[in-house]
Amino acid sequence: MTKFAEVKQRLRGSIAPIITPFHEDESIDFESFKKLIHWHIESGSHGISVTGTTGEPSSLTIDERIKVMEVAKETINGRVPFVPGTGSTNHQETLYLTKKAEEMGADAALIIVPYYNKPSQHALYKHFKLVADSVPDLPLIVYNIPGRTGTNMHVETLAKLSKDCPNIIGVKESNKDFEHVNRVLLNCGRDFLLYSGIELLCYPMLAIGGAGHISATANIVPDKVAAIYDAWKNGDVEQSQNLHYELMELNDVLFKDTNPAPLKAALGQMGKIKPVLRLPMDLPTKSLQDEIAEVLKQYVELPGGVVQK
């Protein structure tokens, strides 16, 4: 059994990427944040991730990111795996935040491919290799989301990292190129943890050997997103497929504007948070918020009454 074999078994299923709620004055609403974490765990989410794309990390200071991580770790209290996002476009910040995650006892860290500066594949390799070497006992999950970072980590680069860095154990692929994600497991090994970060690929990635998903939609229906994995694991392929199609309308409306703006609008409509983002992010238009509400009524109970799908 390899060093990370046990944790690789635990890090499977729906790892919910939690939003960071704000008060009206844009300070962090930690009470709502804690309630969201409890709700996710009670609803069946298999793990919790914070300060990833959905958690608006680029709108947080470094100190705020650390505080969010600390509060999440304390609130989870070992009930499910804790996987904070510790990546940045700044190499030293990534090192610092990843070491902080290790110090606070995170189960793994999710590290995004640096955004905006569009590094070469050679530079990506050096960045991730140095981060991995700095925390050899902390499992790391690469986060590849070319649509937002402007850079796609090539399969060959990821495969070299997986071989040279034993603690790089998986990847969250928010990559619509399904040929690419197939080749990840072919080249990195079938035991490499492949997570879907694309909502419409959560079920398909399980079919090719994926470990689960890190889906923004889990913020709205954590039970159903977790059930896609649970049904698949239990051999109920039809139920997993049914949930996949059932959630398509919700997935579609939640990505008609940039994540997490529609999520926060929806969670506000559900009474879970105050729907506040920090500029340059903002809530969707009134017409889209109305559309989100209409779709949402098919899935969850809204204050004032509804139909549950």
Side-chain angles (χ1 to χ4, degrees), residues 10-297:
R10 292 182 61 230
L11 289 170
R12 293 177 178 271
S14 174
I15 299 176
I18 308 292
I19 59 104
T20 303
F22 298 127
H23 292 291
E24 294 288 355
D25 65 1
E26 297 188 7
S27 61
I28 299 173
D29 181 356
F30 283 110
E31 287 309 306
S32 293
F33 182 62
K34 293 175 188 176
K35 289 177 182 177
L36 287 173
I37 290 173
H38 290 309
W39 176 55
H40 273 274
I41 295 173
E42 291 162 4
S43 299
S45 292
H46 305 101
I48 299 292
S49 181
V50 300
T51 61
T53 301
T54 304
E56 294 176 78
S58 60
S59 296
L60 304 175
T61 67
I62 296 299
D63 287 344
E64 284 177 328
R65 288 183 68 169
I66 292 170
K67 181 64 175 178
V68 168
M69 290 160 59
E70 289 174 341
V71 171
K73 179 66 168 62
E74 180 181 357
T75 306
I76 294 165
N77 194 29
R79 289 176 289 171
V80 296
F82 170 49
V83 185
T86 60
S88 165
T89 196
N90 182 295
H91 178 69
Q92 292 301 323
E93 285 181 2
T94 302
L95 285 169
Y96 180 70
L97 288 167
T98 306
K99 287 178 180 177
K100 285 293 184 181
E102 180 184 46
E103 289 169 7
M104 66 179 68
D107 294 277
L110 180 69
I111 303 179
I112 196 167
V113 169
Y115 40 90
Y116 179 73
N117 46 25
K118 300 182 76 170
S120 67
Q121 296 300 307
H122 173 67
L124 281 180
Y125 174 85
K126 288 179 67 176
H127 170 69
F128 279 95
K129 177 73 162 59
L130 286 170
V131 174
D133 288 349
S134 75
V135 286
D137 295 324
L138 179 67
L140 303 181
I141 300 166
V142 174
Y143 181 11
N144 190 31
I145 180 168
R148 289 186 75 141
T149 64
T151 301
N152 184 35
M153 179 177 280
H154 295 175
V155 171
E156 295 79 8
T157 307
L158 185 61
K160 183 169 172 53
L161 283 166
S162 72
K163 291 177 174 61
D164 295 347
C165 308
N167 58 327
I168 294 182
I169 63 168
V171 62
K172 175 185 176 181
E173 280 285 358
S174 293
N175 197 322
K176 293 184 178 181
D177 183 348
F178 203 57
E179 288 189 19
H180 173 101
V181 298
N182 275 268
R183 295 187 188 283
V184 166
L185 291 182
L186 177 67
N187 287 273
C188 296
R190 298 282 292 280
D191 64 338
F192 196 67
L193 301 181
L194 172 66
Y195 303 93
S196 176
I198 297 287
E199 277 57 35
L200 295 190
L201 295 183
C202 289
Y203 168 75
M205 280 204 200
L206 293 174
I208 64 169
H213 29 265
I214 305 176
S215 167
T217 302
N219 280 273
I220 308 303
V221 283
D223 53 344
K224 292 183 183 294
V225 175
I228 292 174
Y229 177 82
D230 289 334
W232 176 265
K233 182 181 177 183
N234 294 331
D236 192 344
V237 174
E238 183 177 6
Q239 174 63 2
S240 191
Q241 289 175 338
N242 288 343
L243 287 162
H244 167 74
Y245 286 106
E246 179 183 328
L247 292 177
M248 284 182 85
E249 188 177 1
L250 180 60
N251 289 330
D252 287 346
V253 79
L254 290 177
F255 285 87
K256 286 193 173 184
D257 195 354
T258 304
N259 180 46
L263 284 182
K264 285 198 161 182
L267 286 165
Q269 292 164 3
M270 293 166 65
K272 296 286 187 184
I273 64 166
K274 290 183 173 63
V276 178
L277 294 94
R278 290 177 176 176
L279 291 172
M281 299 292 289
D282 199 4
L283 287 171
T285 62
K286 174 68 164 55
S287 61
L288 180 52
Q289 290 189 54
D290 290 343
E291 185 180 351
I292 290 168
E294 284 305 308
V295 172
L296 204 55
K297 289 176 184 178

